[in-house]
Amino acid sequence: MRRVTAINNGTVIDHIPAGCAITVLKMLGVDGGRATPVTLAMNVPSAKMGLKDIVKIEDREVNQSELDKLALVAPEASVAIIRAYSVAEKLQVNLADDVVNVAACTFVNCASHGPREPLPHHLIVHGREPLQLRCHYCGREQDMDSIVENLL
Amino acid sequence: MKLGHWSLSQPLGNGYGRVAAVKRGRGVILASLITIDDLSNEDILAILDDAELLLPAAKGEVYLPLLQGKLLGNLFFEPSTRTRMSFEAAMKRLGGDVINLGDVSSSSVVKGETLYDTIRMVDGYVDIIAMRHPRQGAAQYASDSAEVPILNGGDGAGHHPTQTLLDLFTIRQAHGTIEGLNVALVGDLRFGRTVHSLSHALVRFGCSLTLISPDSLRMPSEIIDDLQALGATITQSENLKAAVPDADVIYMTRIQKERFPDEDEYQRVAGIFKLSAADLAPSKGGMIVMHPLPRVDEVAPDVDTTVHARYFEQAFNGVVTRMALICRLLGVAVPQNAGTNGGES
């Protein structure tokens, strides 16, 4: 059963963990202000994941910097850049061991939050399944429920 | 030795002895001390051995100007008596000198100067910086900003590695070893940076831990996870009296009012653990009572005159261990005969 139609130009983000599509759109700054279509499917069957979400954003090509952010909530996501109804590029979300200047530490008393402090925000992947991040500076384990609010 | 940025995900060797931030300062490769895990077990034992050699100099019995011409910057953004003064004493006992940030209210910090700018500025004045800051992670942040080594004198509720060194020295003085002991850590284990650092070191030397705290002040989960990953034997309890008979060390800590966001929450746990001389009756003969000080009411004055009390020696040991540490980080060797004739080799 085809729930989501093909798009002419844009970005398809597949294999998003079930229920996270709205968060992914928020991370990409996609809201009701866009004039071009955005399609979203949530909790659809997946041979790979059991259940997954899918997002299709027309007339926009996601760049690597934006993909780095997606790694925090959808580390297994596969991304396809679509041009003229064909897959022009396939991109993979890669979560590096060091996540620099993607999200700020979720611990409010971390030194990295000082106003105008110039050093980069730096989180370290401490575990991948499940995803666990720690701040390079304060060492605190990150609150993954609020990491999205701390995106830069 | 790794050059560049320190990362938990890229340990060296057996996972310890990582150089927190290797910097090229004055043409020499130097390192900071941010957490106790920046020192290997061998490093720790070597520092304790050097401290042993430096005892006469620390007491002023011999003059040993190993650090003559060197300057330490004391940047204390939070109140301190022992740590700040012992860094100063350590430096001066070895012929070096110290400049102090002084009262934060009389510095450019009140003008809104960033920590980064403050560190970069002081970095140009001194050979090494000792620092205490109310925000967790400030020492690592400073180390990433500076060319000279940073000694973490306590960052928020984070770590206090130089305190750990003097604690280990004190334990070794009493027991002859720091291996395989049964240590009870008592009081504020949630905000207590001294116990955060000390627990890591004790587990690495095969000690078993009894963590005694009110439920709201338990050791943070990420520290418990780290300790268990090291194979630690940990018992968590709220019963101090039950731990006394089996303990080799009882390490008491103050419930830190200044770390509580809420006065009511503090009042619920204030004074919950108290140790008096009578409480120590069932203890082992060689058991010692330690406290990083200042104390409020958790260790009664009648404990001071028992054979168990070690907290004032602990405070002195802060001088000699910091002497050894500063020498190590500045690449200055402590001569084997440091305790005699001015340490001439």
Side-chain angles (χ1 to χ4, degrees):
Chain A
M1 169 188 163
R2 191 183 181 85
R3 290 185 171 88
V4 185
T5 58
I7 61 172
N8 184 6
N9 300 300
T11 302
V12 175
I13 306 172
D14 198 351
H15 301 108
I16 299 169
C20 292
I22 295 173
T23 301
V24 166
L25 290 176
K26 184 178 174 184
M27 290 169 82
L28 295 174
V30 175
D31 54 26
R34 281 182 61 86
T36 48
V38 176
T39 311
L40 175 153
M42 295 180 74
N43 302 316
V44 297
S46 165
K48 183 178 169 185
M49 300 171 72
L51 289 177
K52 67 178 180 182
D53 291 1
I54 306 171
V55 160
K56 294 191 179 188
I57 307 169
E58 295 191 39
D59 297 329
R60 177 174 166 186
E61 296 187 4
V62 173
N63 61 39
Q64 193 60 51
S65 167
E66 292 166 317
L67 286 183
D68 288 346
K69 295 183 184 181
L70 293 188
L72 292 182
V73 296
E76 305 294 319
S78 47
V79 179
I81 304 298
I82 308 296
R83 295 179 192 131
Y85 291 105
S86 296
V87 175
E89 285 181 64
K90 279 192 175 180
L91 304 171
Q92 210 67 37
V93 171
N94 291 315
L95 183 61
D97 290 339
D98 292 85
V99 181
V100 179
N101 269 346
V102 175
C105 178
T106 58
F107 177 51
V108 296
N109 198 38
C110 178
S112 63
H113 290 306
R116 300 181 313 285
E117 293 292 351
L119 292 189
H121 294 275
H122 185 171
L123 305 178
I124 296 167
V125 175
H126 189 67
R128 288 181 181 265
E129 290 181 18
L131 183 60
Q132 287 180 307
L133 298 172
R134 291 195 184 184
C135 176
H136 158 69
Y137 299 110
C138 71
R140 283 280 189 121
E141 192 149 328
Q142 300 297 288
D143 178 359
M144 297 307 294
D145 290 334
S146 60
I147 197 83
V148 171
E149 279 86 34
N150 284 41
L151 287 172
L152 302 173
Chain B
M1 180 179 285
K2 179 174 185 242
L3 288 174
H5 208 64
W6 170 70
S7 168
L8 267 172
S9 62
Q10 296 170 33
L12 299 173
N14 64 356
Y16 300 106
R18 291 185 298 260
V19 175
V22 181
K23 303 289 185 182
R24 289 196 180 276
R26 319 300 193 265
V28 179
I29 297 177
L30 302 167
S32 294
L33 179 63
I34 308 303
T35 80
I36 198 63
D37 288 343
D38 295 326
L39 297 172
S40 66
N41 285 15
E42 292 71 28
D43 290 335
I44 289 173
L45 292 174
I47 289 169
L48 300 188
D49 289 343
D50 281 349
E52 204 65 54
L53 294 173
L54 290 168
L55 276 170
K59 294 174 186 172
E61 293 167 0
V62 297
Y63 180 57
L64 192 64
L66 297 178
L67 299 180
Q68 193 165 47
K70 299 292 186 186
L71 199 54
L72 174 135
N74 249 351
L75 268 59
F76 279 69
F77 297 84
E78 259 195 338
S80 170
T81 302
R82 272 151 295 277
T83 305
R84 183 175 53 80
M85 291 182 71
S86 63
F87 270 119
E88 187 155 353
M91 202 66 187
K92 289 180 174 177
R93 285 292 192 197
L94 289 174
D97 210 339
V98 177
I99 55 175
N100 286 284
L101 175 69
D103 190 339
V104 171
S105 64
S106 62
S107 75
S108 289
V109 175
V110 297
K111 298 178 188 174
E113 185 169 49
T114 61
L115 177 60
Y116 177 83
D117 283 1
T118 301
I119 295 298
R120 286 295 304 271
M121 177 265 300
V122 176
D123 182 76
Y125 298 162
V126 301
D127 301 294
I128 189 166
I129 293 173
M131 180 178 151
R132 172 174 287 183
H133 196 279
R135 284 183 174 262
Q136 199 164 329
Q140 182 65 59
Y141 193 93
S143 183
D144 289 0
S145 309
E147 290 293 320
V148 301
I150 301 291
L151 295 167
N152 184 7
D155 59 330
H159 290 274
H160 200 347
T162 67
Q163 177 75 37
T164 294
L165 289 171
L166 73 93
D167 288 341
L168 293 175
F169 188 74
T170 306
I171 293 171
R172 194 168 83 162
Q173 278 185 323
H175 289 287
T177 182
I178 52 176
E179 296 190 38
L181 300 172
N182 189 0
V183 180
L185 303 177
V186 185
D188 182 355
L189 307 187
R190 177 180 166 196
F191 298 117
R193 54 196 174 206
T194 59
V195 292
H196 295 172
S197 288
L198 182 59
S199 59
H200 279 92
L202 291 171
V203 164
R204 284 164 51 186
F205 284 96
C207 294
S208 56
L209 300 182
T210 305
L211 305 180
I212 302 170
S213 70
D215 190 57
S216 59
L217 292 179
R218 291 202 166 202
M219 188 77 84
S221 59
E222 55 257 1
I223 295 181
I224 298 282
D225 289 346
D226 286 346
L227 297 178
Q228 288 176 334
L230 295 171
T233 305
I234 297 177
T235 307
Q236 298 199 67
S237 164
E238 296 189 34
N239 189 338
L240 171 56
K241 286 189 165 53
V244 170
D246 294 328
D248 296 303
V249 179
I250 298 178
Y251 193 101
M252 301 292 292
T253 63
R254 175 179 62 95
I255 308 290
Q256 300 177 78
K257 183 178 181 181
E258 65 274 18
R259 303 273 177 227
F260 279 79
D262 187 286
E263 174 73 21
D264 289 342
E265 196 182 339
Y266 167 71
Q267 289 301 335
R268 275 196 284 275
V269 295
I272 199 167
F273 293 118
K274 294 182 182 180
L275 204 60
S276 68
D279 296 326
L280 303 179
S283 66
K284 296 181 191 177
M287 187 278 292
I288 61 173
V289 176
M290 297 173 64
H291 192 302
L293 302 177
R295 61 176 164 176
V296 180
D297 56 5
E298 57 277 358
V299 178
D302 65 1
V303 175
D304 298 359
T305 52
T306 69
V307 297
H308 306 287
R310 285 293 187 279
Y311 25 93
F312 296 122
E313 286 93 327
Q314 240 180 303
F316 165 73
N317 287 340
V319 176
V320 71
T321 50
R322 287 175 174 118
M323 288 164 71
L325 177 64
I326 293 170
C327 284
R328 176 158 282 254
L329 293 192
L330 290 179
V332 175
V334 176
Q336 284 299 306
N337 60 347
T340 59
N341 298 322
E344 291 174 1
S345 54

